[in-house]
Amino acid sequence: MAEQTTLDSLLEMGFDRNRAEKAVAHTGNQGIERAMDWLMEHEGDPDIDEPYVPPVGNVLGGTGGSDPQQPSPAAQPTAEGTDPATDGGDQMIHDGDTKRPMTEEDKREQIKRLEELMRVKQEERRERERAEEVDREKQRRRQGQELLQVKQKLQEDEMKKMVDLRRREKDDDKMAKQRVRDKIARDREERALKFGGGSSSTALTSPSAEGPPSSPPSQGPPPAKKDYNECRIQVRMLDGSALTSVFKAQEPLAAVRVYIQMNGNAPEGQDFTLLSPYPRRVYTELDMEKPLQELGLVPSAVLVVAKK
C-alpha cells in the first residue's frame, strides 16, 4: 500500500518508527516530502517519540474498518506520485511506457535522492533560523540603544536641575550676605555723618586730655549723668582675637551678632551666643531684640563669644 511505501522509505532513511508513523498519519499520506517536512517541523515536540495511537477503527496501512468519510488508502497518491491501484503493494518505477518493480538499486537511489532533499530542506531551515536570529539580535540591540539614550537624557535633565538649584541657592545666599553688608555700611555712614567721623572713644578720652578742673571734685553739686547716644563694644572671639566697633545706643544686640558674623573668623554656619564677663550674664534670643542701652552696655562694654 502507499502508506506502507512512504513508511518504509522513512524507516530506510533512518527515522524512528514512532516518528515515521506519526508523519504518515498527520500528512494524510501525501508523499514522502510532506512527511519529511512534518518531521522537521515537529522534531522538537515533547511527545514526538511516543508511540503513535491511530484513531478508533483505523489501522495504519489497513483497509477494513476505516472511516467512510475519509478517502481510502487506495485513493491516496504514493511518494513517487503513482497510483497505488496500479502498483498494488509493491513499489513500482516507470521505464518508458511500462512499469516495473523497483530493484534494490532503485530503492537506494530513491533513498539517496530523498536524503539529499532532506539535507537541502534542513539547510534552508537552518538558514532561515539564522536569519531570524540575526533580525532578533538587531532588534534587541536597537531597543537597548534606545533605552540607553532615554536613560542618558533623564540623567542629563536631572543634572541640569541640580545645577540650577545649587546656582539659585548660592545666588540667594550671596544676596542675603550683601544685604547685611549694605546695612552695616549704611549704619557706619550715618554714624560718620552724625559725629563727623569721630568715635565715642575720642569723645570719652578728650576730657581726660584737658587739664584738671579749676575746682576740686569735692566742691559743688555732682555732675549730671550724661546721656550717651553711642556705645563702644569690644568682642573677644573664640580664638582669642578681638573685634571693636561703635554702635548706636538704641541698636539691638542682634546688630552686634550680625557684625560678628560678617567680620569674625568663626566658621560659616557655626552658632554662638554672647555673654558679659563682669558681671557674668548670658544673653538669650529675647535679649537680641533689646537695645544696647537697655542691656546696660552703654557707653562701652566687653562681650565674649561662646559656643552654644
Side-chain angles (χ1 to χ4, degrees):
M1 300 300 293
E3 285 184 355
Q4 294 298 330
T5 300
T6 304
L7 180 62
D8 291 341
S9 299
L10 293 173
L11 293 176
E12 290 180 3
M13 293 173 65
F15 287 103
D16 183 77
R17 174 172 289 275
N18 292 332
R19 297 190 178 194
E21 290 178 353
K22 288 183 179 181
V24 172
H26 286 287
T27 58
N29 193 28
Q30 295 182 8
I32 187 68
E33 294 185 12
R34 292 291 302 276
M36 286 192 302
D37 290 340
W38 187 92
L39 284 171
M40 286 187 291
E41 291 176 359
H42 296 272
E43 62 180 357
D45 293 353
D47 59 345
I48 188 64
D49 292 320
E50 294 181 4
Y52 172 70
V53 179
V56 179
N58 182 28
V59 179
L60 184 64
T63 57
S66 61
D67 189 351
Q69 298 298 328
Q70 300 293 334
S72 63
Q76 300 292 341
T78 63
E80 291 76 26
T82 59
D83 187 356
T86 58
D87 288 345
D90 299 329
Q91 295 180 344
M92 306 296 291
I93 188 171
H94 286 276
D95 187 7
D97 295 334
T98 62
K99 297 180 181 179
R100 59 178 178 81
M102 295 181 63
T103 63
E104 292 297 328
E105 184 66 25
D106 294 333
K107 291 180 180 180
R108 286 194 297 270
E109 186 66 26
Q110 184 187 36
I111 292 173
K112 183 178 179 182
R113 181 179 61 82
L114 294 174
E115 289 177 347
E116 181 64 26
L117 178 62
M118 185 176 65
R119 282 194 295 270
V120 172
K121 289 182 176 294
Q122 289 176 343
E123 184 63 27
E124 291 177 352
R125 179 183 177 183
R126 285 192 291 269
E127 289 293 335
R128 184 171 63 254
E129 291 176 349
R130 281 195 292 268
E132 292 175 353
E133 181 63 25
V134 170
D135 292 339
R136 287 193 296 269
E137 181 65 23
K138 290 181 178 179
Q139 185 176 2
R140 283 195 296 268
R141 292 183 179 179
R142 183 171 59 254
Q143 292 176 349
Q145 291 177 352
E146 292 175 354
L147 181 60
L148 181 60
Q149 292 175 356
V150 171
K151 289 183 178 180
Q152 291 177 348
K153 182 64 167 58
L154 293 176
Q155 291 177 354
E156 291 176 357
D157 294 342
E158 188 66 23
M159 288 297 296
K160 289 180 180 178
K161 291 180 181 179
M162 292 179 63
V163 170
D164 293 340
L165 178 60
R166 291 178 180 176
R167 185 184 296 112
R168 287 195 298 269
E169 290 176 351
K170 290 183 179 179
D171 292 342
D172 294 342
D173 186 57
K174 186 183 298 183
M175 292 174 63
K177 291 182 178 180
Q178 187 61 39
R179 285 194 294 269
V180 175
R181 293 191 185 99
D182 294 342
K183 183 178 182 305
I184 294 174
R186 287 194 301 269
D187 292 342
R188 288 177 177 174
E189 290 177 359
E190 290 176 1
R191 288 195 295 269
L193 291 174
K194 184 174 182 180
F195 298 100
S199 63
S200 62
S201 60
T202 304
L204 291 175
T205 57
S206 58
S208 62
E210 298 176 356
S214 59
S215 60
S218 60
Q219 295 180 359
K225 187 177 180 181
K226 186 176 181 180
D227 187 12
Y228 294 95
N229 294 324
E230 291 185 341
C231 66
R232 178 186 177 87
I233 302 294
Q234 183 183 38
V235 182
R236 296 177 183 174
M237 304 299 294
L238 293 172
D239 59 354
S241 61
L243 294 175
T244 303
S245 184
V246 177
F247 299 88
K248 292 182 179 180
Q250 297 301 322
E251 283 190 273
L253 184 59
V256 180
R257 183 168 61 180
V258 171
Y259 175 79
I260 296 171
Q261 290 174 342
M262 297 303 300
N263 297 275
N265 53 7
E268 185 176 355
Q270 181 180 2
D271 198 4
F272 62 89
T273 186
L274 298 175
L275 58 90
S276 295
Y278 304 107
R280 182 175 177 82
R281 177 180 177 180
V282 178
Y283 296 99
T284 64
E285 291 297 328
L286 295 177
D287 295 331
M288 294 296 166
E289 303 299 328
K290 297 179 180 179
L292 299 177
Q293 187 172 21
E294 182 180 339
L295 295 174
L297 301 176
V298 177
S300 64
V302 176
L303 298 179
V304 179
V305 176
K307 292 183 180 179
K308 273 193 175 182

